[in-house]
């Protein structure tokens, strides 16, 4: 065994992937349930997709289930998505299905990567890249360790045709856009409105209905939708996250097709 061979294998393999994905069709910020679902469906339809995740583990808020009881609930409408990922669902009562959160996250990560999306963990998206007329063209990245240590080290960038904000409750990309480019988001204030108090039914309904392009070239999915548009939170029911991720992937695919058609 040669330690340097091991080191070369890791460095070369990672660097190659990083370089290959420096120019992507879709860049997803955040690898929680909505981002992973979007990544899976995009990659499955042949769209070059990268996910950037600040933490070491992808999966976002799904690992902990509800209040650390490692179970999640999905409603009938979203059941087919977890089934497609191969997750075991147990019917609790009409309309409510329970899954093991650890199994669900593992399946989402595995299927997303197997479909061809790349998940870059331990990377934080700290800014957006723009061109004329404040057109979004990419993301500004740094190692999460750099931001955590508060080191003054310049970031690197990747180019993307479309960006998806899947950063959850903080809606970080939408906030960046509103902060840096002016309050021009497709929301009632133009800025990030902030999520409302808990109401599972309304939160899930609005989340799926309002998964959309919130700024040219930027879609929101998952909890970032409700946080940006001012809709309620919903707690440990996850069907909306999955349905929103799937819808974001479909919208992104349409937008890409449309922009290809214009050329
Ligand atoms: O929070 P998160 O799981 O978002 P989601 O997909 O799902 C929400 C549910 O987990 C739950 C809920 C269910 O009812 O409300 O909260 O909408 O995953 C968001 C991921 O984005 C990462 C963060 O670490 C998390 O894993 N993230 C956030 N900001 C950044 C980021 C950033 N600036 N750069 C990279 N990753």
């Amino acid at each position: 065994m040669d330690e340097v061979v091991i080191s070369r294998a890791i460095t070369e393999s990672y660097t190659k992937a990083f370089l290959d994905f420096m120019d992507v069709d879709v860049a997803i910020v955040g690898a929680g349930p909505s981002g992973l679902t979007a990544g899976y469906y995009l990659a499955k339809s042949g769209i070059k997709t990268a996910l950037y995740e600040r933490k070491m583990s992808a999966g976002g808020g799904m690992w902990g289930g509800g209040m650390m009881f490692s179970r999640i609930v999905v409603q009938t409408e979203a059941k087919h998505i977890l089934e497609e990922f191969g997750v075991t669902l147990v019917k609790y009562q009409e309309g409510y299905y329970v899954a093991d959160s650890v199994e669900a996250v593992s399946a989402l990560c595995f299927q997303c990567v197997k479909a061809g999306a790349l998940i870059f963990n331990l990377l934080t998206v700290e800014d957006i890249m723009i061109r004329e007329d404040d057109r979004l063209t990419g993301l500004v990245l740094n190692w999460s360790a750099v931001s955590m240590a508060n080191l003054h080290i310049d970031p690197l960038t990747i180019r993307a045709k479309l960006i998806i904000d899947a950063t959850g409750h903080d809606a970080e990309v939408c906030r960046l856009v509103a902060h840096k480019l002016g309050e021009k988001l497709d929301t009632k204030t133009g800025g990030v409105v902030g999520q409302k108090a808990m109401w599972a039914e309304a939160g899930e309904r609005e989340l799926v209905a309002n998964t959309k392009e919130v700024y040219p070239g930027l879609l929101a999915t998952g909890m970032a939708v409700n946080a940006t548009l001012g809709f309620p939170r919903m707690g440990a029911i996850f069907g909306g996250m999955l349905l929103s991720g799937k819808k974001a992937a479909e919208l992104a695919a349409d937008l890409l097709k449309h922009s290809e058609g214009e050329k």
Side-chain angles (χ1 to χ4, degrees), residues 180-240:
K180 299 225 164 172
L181 308 181
E183 308 244 310
K184 295 181 217 152
L185 298 175
D186 184 12
T187 68
K188 61 184 177 206
T189 61
V192 171
V193 180
Q195 71 180 21
K196 269 191 164 171
M198 173 128 26
W199 181 3
E201 174 90 33
E204 290 283 274
R205 186 179 58 239
E206 300 295 356
L207 164 56
V208 182
N210 290 285
T211 296
K212 62 178 180 179
E213 192 178 26
V214 288
Y215 181 88
L218 172 67
L219 293 104
T221 185
M223 203 54 216
V225 173
N226 286 19
T228 302
L229 288 128
F231 295 118
R233 63 186 302 193
M234 68 291 288
I237 181 147
F238 280 80

Side-chain angles (χ1 to χ4, degrees), residues 30 32-34 53-54 60-61 125 166-169 172 222-223 234-235 237 241:
S34 64
E53 169 53 50
R54 166 183 285 149
V125 171
T167 62
H169 295 262
E172 290 198 20
M223 203 54 216
M234 68 291 288
I237 181 147
M241 299 301 146

Side-chain angles (χ1 to χ4, degrees), residues 7 40 48 52 67 84 93 104-105 122 132 143 166 176 196:
S7 305
Y40 166 77
K48 191 171 183 181
Y52 300 97
M67 212 183 80
E84 185 172 342
Q93 67 175 61
V105 173
L122 295 163
E132 296 77 15
W143 298 113
L176 273 170
K196 269 191 164 171

